[in-house]
Amino acid sequence: MDDRSWIFIEDRVNNPYFEKCLSDFLKFAYKKKEVGSRIYCPCRRCKNSERRKEETVRAHVTMKGFLTTYTNWIYHGEDPWDFNQENMNNGVFRRIENDDMNELIHETLGRTLEENSNINLEELRGACDEETNKFFKLLKHAETELYPGCKNFTLLSFVIKLLHVKSLCRWSNNSMTILLELLKEVFPENELFPSSYRDAWKIVKDLGLSYHKIHACPNDCLIYWKETEHETFCRKCGTPRYKQIVKQSDDSSEQANKVPAKLVRYFPLKPRLQRLFMSSKTASLMRWHEEERIKDGKLRHPADSLAWKHFNDRHPSFASDPRNVRVGLAADGFNPFKAMNNKYSTWPVILVPYNLPSWMCMKQTSFMLCLLIDGPKAPGNDIHVYLQPVIDELNEFWDPGVPTYDAASKQMFYLRAALLWTINDFPAYGNLSGWSTKGKYACPCCNKDVRSQWLMHSKKHCYLGHRRFLAIDHPYRLNRAQFDGTIEKHSRPVRLYGFEILEQLRDFRNEFGKDQPVSSARKRKRRTKDNNDFEQSPICRYNWKRLNVFFQLPYWVDNLLPHNLDIMHIEKNFLENLLWTLLGMGKTNDDINARYDLKEMGIRKALHPQSKGDKVFLPPACFTMSKDEKEIFCNVLKTVKVPDGYASNISRCVNIKERQISGLKSHDCHILMQQLLSIAVRRILPK
């Protein structure tokens, strides 16, 4: 089998070409084996670690895909040292004539070898700009033999492959240095051969994408950027820019090292978007959303959404060129030291280019990290301070655009880009939108028309009025007993658009930074029985905490759906609370405080707590399950079987003896909510 490009095919189901190639592979694998024997499964899940029968291997590879890094089939009868075959063109190891380093350099820096073939590199090195010098340096390494007479590798191709193997095998930097020191002794004739991992990285770093380190105030007041770049103290809170670390030198004199108190890593967007068009493999895909997408009214891609179409209608000049990029922004925090049980929150900010096909735009390889905000504390509502470099660069992309080379049409054009929306969980939604998702006005959709009530016993807000979203003649609107004891006569809240938000935030002044003294103008009125509203001052209106930085984008007020919620987060949180309530475990919502709140509200009298002497009895609700019913419920989920790849092993999360369910992943919660939960509940219902 000379052609192995089929292992990269994503559309595998009912693909005749893929099925033929897979059958040829299985014939090759069973050439020296008995019929019915087991072979290593090369799917992306098993990764040649499990032996399976032919039918199982065929199903696994079709459903999960062939392991793309497995191009030398050493586990299926191929010579492990045969790296010079033509069928290794897609593998990790290839001959120099198949390694087009010049094309790689051209697509990285946007230059061609032919344009500079008659130029003396050494003479022009000092007279060229920085980018051109990088190009010449890479060309020199691409033409340097690994050792005298070597025909298989150049210095650049060998170092790239060695770093690739390091990444695949997860070698440490120290082990890489040890190997390079040994190879340095093997190739003493090559003075440019790296002797450490750091030296090897210097050779190929110009092929990659750099980032900038920006210092920040530890109280999140500002970043030391542009006009504050050279300041040493925060102009707002007075906190020093650097940590005061004293180091004893050899002559016993004190020497202070400048270590920033907080650091933000900014990854410029311009070279990353330009790189998509400099590569001949991705330049044509950036027009897929307009030229190859099926337009039959079904929602398969963000380009089929109303928000995308509304944006095109509002900005026809931007929509006229399909190469202009639409991106989405996602941000959330995580603890990089979770195994060490430390409280630390690092916030990555990621951009997603939506021009790519639907099977590519949400792949990890398509994501663009634009910001990495160090901890230890989360930025919270002050995240807008750190987003300023991203906003400035997006404004540059909007008007007039950035000159970019298109490898598909081999022409220069002005690349424009627009941010369509953000995607977050509910707490991060509040941080990015500026609308607090806590308190009386927590719902950003209802805005000032939120109907909420403070629960005195549970010590939290409860949000009512969901029946407003039903049709005006829906019978639930007249149902008192099953809801809050009232008839719903209100209509659904009016949708709030960008210009209306700006009107609400007129004269609003952003106050960034933590641990700041609160002025009397910013203090809220205390909540009393007769007054449950906040002070309507110019700086504290409804539930707004910040005028978000996205309004600096000239088109943001026209976005139909500026902020999105990650439904998988919400679905997981909802299911966990539902299971806790049904099984009476963990943080159940059906506790004694909830029953006292029902009593105070005067609804659901059958569920009110009943006093029996010194004890309080909680009458069972309609959803309360006995021990036997809980065991039946858990047993159904314990024994359920789903198709391979449909969901993870849900049975491992079910403990029948303790009648508990824990450790569910987000996708498991989605499967339970959509299909399996109703099956489990049906088993305990009366026949």
Side-chain angles (χ1 to χ4, degrees):
M1 298 178 63
D2 295 338
D3 182 16
R4 300 192 180 179
S5 61
W6 61 274
I7 68 175
F8 300 96
I9 295 177
E10 295 295 335
D11 186 13
R12 298 177 296 273
V13 181
N14 297 327
N15 188 326
Y17 175 71
F18 181 85
E19 292 176 357
K20 177 183 179 300
C21 293
L22 178 57
S23 299
D24 294 341
F25 166 79
L26 292 174
K27 290 179 182 178
F28 176 80
Y30 276 96
K31 185 184 298 183
K32 299 179 181 180
K33 291 186 176 293
E34 298 180 359
V35 178
S37 60
R38 296 173 180 264
I39 61 173
Y40 284 107
C41 180
C43 75
R44 297 175 186 175
R45 180 179 179 182
C46 297
K47 298 179 180 179
N48 291 316
S49 61
E50 300 288 341
R51 291 180 178 271
R52 303 188 185 278
K53 294 184 178 180
E54 180 180 355
E55 296 79 8
T56 306
V57 172
R58 184 185 296 274
H60 276 209
V61 173
T62 303
M63 297 300 296
K64 302 177 178 61
F66 199 97
L67 185 62
T68 54
T69 57
Y70 180 55
T71 53
N72 188 16
W73 297 336
I74 58 176
Y75 297 108
H76 299 87
E78 196 166 68
D79 186 356
W81 302 107
D82 191 8
F83 295 139
N84 296 330
Q85 303 176 37
E86 293 182 359
N87 57 18
M88 296 303 294
N89 288 342
N90 292 319
V92 175
F93 298 93
R94 290 176 289 184
R95 295 179 60 87
I96 185 172
E97 54 265 28
N98 295 327
D99 282 339
D100 196 345
M101 289 292 122
N102 293 327
E103 182 183 357
L104 176 63
I105 296 171
H106 159 61
E107 292 189 345
T108 301
L109 300 178
R111 292 170 171 84
T112 60
L113 181 62
E114 290 76 9
E115 296 172 356
N116 304 278
S117 57
N118 298 321
I119 295 177
N120 189 324
L121 305 186
E122 296 299 332
E123 292 180 359
L124 291 181
R125 187 178 301 277
C128 297
D129 60 5
E130 183 181 356
E131 289 297 320
T132 305
N133 283 331
K134 290 180 181 179
F135 174 68
F136 289 152
K137 182 180 177 181
L138 288 171
L139 281 182
K140 179 180 179 181
H141 292 315
E143 296 171 354
T144 303
E145 293 181 343
L146 184 61
Y147 56 85
C150 179
K151 302 300 182 183
N152 292 341
F153 293 101
T154 62
L155 177 62
L156 181 62
S157 65
F158 183 76
V159 172
I160 289 176
K161 288 180 172 61
L162 204 57
L163 292 174
H164 188 193
V165 174
K166 174 188 180 297
S167 176
L168 292 176
C169 301
R170 300 181 181 180
W171 294 351
S172 65
N173 294 350
N174 189 33
S175 64
M176 184 71 173
T177 299
I178 294 173
L179 175 62
L180 289 172
E181 289 175 351
L182 175 62
L183 293 176
K184 181 73 172 179
E185 298 178 6
V186 177
F187 308 127
E189 300 87 353
N190 193 340
E191 297 178 355
L192 298 177
F193 193 85
S195 58
S196 65
Y197 168 72
R198 186 178 183 85
D199 294 338
W201 179 247
K202 289 179 180 179
I203 293 176
V204 300
K205 69 176 182 178
D206 293 332
L207 290 173
L209 298 166
S210 60
Y211 65 92
H212 304 306
K213 294 181 179 180
I214 303 176
H215 299 174
C217 173
N219 293 326
D220 302 325
C221 302
L222 53 81
I223 57 175
Y224 295 97
W225 184 64
K226 286 191 174 180
E227 66 272 7
T228 60
E229 182 178 1
H230 301 292
E231 297 182 4
T232 55
F233 289 89
C234 177
R235 61 172 57 177
K236 187 169 185 179
C237 66
T239 305
R241 175 176 180 172
Y242 300 101
K243 297 178 181 178
Q244 300 301 319
I245 300 177
V246 178
K247 180 181 178 182
Q248 294 290 339
S249 60
D250 296 338
D251 56 358
S252 300
S253 62
E254 293 186 353
Q255 184 180 10
N257 289 340
K258 289 187 176 182
V259 178
K262 189 168 185 177
L263 193 65
V264 181
R265 291 168 176 84
Y266 172 55
F267 301 79
L269 181 60
K270 185 186 300 182
R272 285 159 176 80
L273 288 181
Q274 287 178 324
R275 185 70 60 85
L276 292 174
F277 290 93
M278 289 181 182
S279 172
S280 58
K281 299 177 178 61
T282 57
S284 59
L285 293 175
M286 294 299 289
R287 301 192 303 270
W288 179 91
H289 68 96
E290 179 63 28
E291 298 176 356
E292 300 183 37
R293 176 175 56 92
I294 300 175
K295 303 175 184 179
D296 57 358
K298 296 181 180 179
L299 186 60
R300 298 187 180 93
H301 187 271
D304 298 316
S305 65
L306 291 177
W308 186 297
K309 297 174 182 177
H310 176 79
F311 188 87
N312 287 350
D313 294 338
R314 299 288 296 179
H315 305 282
S317 61
F318 182 89
S320 61
D321 191 345
R323 293 174 295 187
N324 291 334
V325 183
R326 282 88 164 171
V327 296
L329 184 144
D332 202 358
F334 73 99
N335 184 0
F337 310 111
K338 189 173 183 180
M340 301 174 63
N341 198 24
N342 290 336
K343 291 184 177 180
Y344 200 95
S345 182
T346 297
W347 278 64
V349 179
I350 297 172
L351 291 176
V352 184
Y354 290 124
N355 288 41
L356 295 170
S358 52
W359 59 86
M360 291 182 63
C361 64
M362 294 306 296
K363 289 291 183 66
Q364 184 179 355
T365 52
S366 301
F367 296 166
M368 297 181 183
L369 179 67
C370 63
L371 273 180
L372 189 61
I373 306 172
D374 281 352
K377 294 181 180 179
N381 293 324
D382 299 320
I383 192 174
H384 303 277
V385 171
Y386 303 101
L387 289 172
Q388 192 61 54
V390 182
I391 298 300
D392 287 353
E393 198 166 13
L394 285 172
N395 277 324
E396 183 181 354
F397 267 107
W398 179 254
D399 188 20
V402 176
T404 304
Y405 177 75
D406 183 4
S409 62
K410 302 186 184 303
Q411 294 177 349
M412 294 292 295
F413 76 105
Y414 275 90
L415 173 63
R416 301 176 65 189
L419 179 65
L420 292 186
W421 50 60
T422 67
I423 306 174
N424 308 95
D425 58 3
F426 202 53
Y429 180 105
N431 296 334
L432 286 175
S433 67
W435 179 271
S436 177
T437 52
K438 302 175 183 177
K440 176 182 177 182
Y441 297 101
C443 179
C445 296
C446 297
N447 197 259
K448 62 182 180 180
D449 297 325
V450 175
R451 293 180 57 188
S452 62
Q453 181 173 344
W454 178 255
L455 303 179
M456 298 302 297
H457 297 278
S458 298
K459 305 297 181 184
K460 60 184 178 182
H461 280 97
C462 113
Y463 305 96
L464 310 173
H466 302 87
R467 291 179 291 167
R468 291 184 295 170
F469 293 90
L470 298 174
I472 197 65
D473 57 347
H474 199 284
Y476 281 0
R477 284 179 169 268
L478 304 176
N479 193 330
R480 298 171 181 263
Q482 300 299 324
F483 295 97
D484 58 358
T486 63
I487 296 177
E488 184 59 71
K489 298 180 180 179
H490 297 83
S491 59
R492 67 172 59 199
V494 179
R495 185 185 185 90
L496 206 63
Y497 293 93
F499 67 91
E500 295 173 305
I501 295 176
L502 287 178
E503 180 63 26
Q504 284 190 2
L505 293 172
R506 186 174 54 183
D507 301 327
F508 191 96
R509 300 187 301 276
N510 279 331
E511 295 283 343
F512 293 116
K514 297 179 174 63
D515 301 326
Q516 298 296 314
V518 181
S519 62
S520 58
R522 292 189 62 201
K523 290 183 179 179
R524 297 177 178 176
K525 287 184 177 180
R526 289 188 176 273
R527 187 181 288 108
T528 63
K529 183 176 181 180
D530 298 327
N531 177 26
N532 200 29
D533 292 329
F534 298 151
E535 183 180 356
Q536 302 300 306
S537 67
I539 200 168
C540 185
R541 186 172 291 124
Y542 305 124
N543 227 28
W544 291 111
K545 296 293 185 182
R546 297 287 186 272
L547 172 59
N548 76 62
V549 72
F550 300 110
F551 279 108
Q552 296 180 19
L553 300 172
Y555 51 84
W556 190 253
V557 293
D558 299 324
N559 284 357
L560 188 64
L561 193 64
H563 302 285
N564 292 270
L565 287 171
D566 180 5
I567 190 64
M568 298 297 283
H569 274 79
I570 300 173
E571 204 168 26
K572 184 176 187 296
N573 294 336
F574 181 84
L575 180 70
E576 287 178 347
N577 281 274
L578 180 61
L579 292 177
W580 289 339
T581 303
L582 288 176
L583 300 176
M585 63 179 191
K587 302 176 183 178
T588 176
N589 291 320
D590 186 27
D591 56 7
I592 189 171
N593 291 325
R595 298 296 183 93
Y596 276 123
D597 287 326
L598 291 177
K599 184 177 181 180
E600 185 170 333
M601 295 172 68
I603 59 176
R604 308 289 180 94
K605 295 183 179 180
L607 299 179
H608 293 176
Q610 301 174 4
S611 299
K612 294 185 178 180
D614 296 335
K615 297 182 179 181
V616 177
F617 172 71
L618 299 181
C622 61
F623 52 80
T624 303
M625 293 190 291
S626 63
K627 291 184 178 180
D628 293 338
E629 290 174 335
K630 291 178 182 179
E631 289 184 1
I632 296 173
F633 179 84
C634 293
N635 189 61
V636 173
L637 297 180
K638 183 74 174 180
T639 57
V640 69
K641 294 183 179 181
V642 296
D644 195 13
Y646 184 78
S648 65
N649 188 9
I650 297 177
S651 62
R652 62 177 172 77
C653 304
V654 182
N655 189 331
I656 298 179
K657 184 177 180 180
E658 299 293 334
R659 296 180 291 277
Q660 292 184 355
I661 302 175
S662 60
L664 292 169
K665 303 295 183 182
S666 296
H667 187 68
D668 300 334
C669 296
H670 176 73
I671 297 300
L672 284 170
M673 282 288 295
Q674 298 296 325
Q675 293 177 332
L676 300 183
L677 190 63
S678 59
I679 298 175
V681 172
R682 187 172 59 190
R683 290 289 301 274
I684 61 176
L685 293 177
K687 296 182 180 180

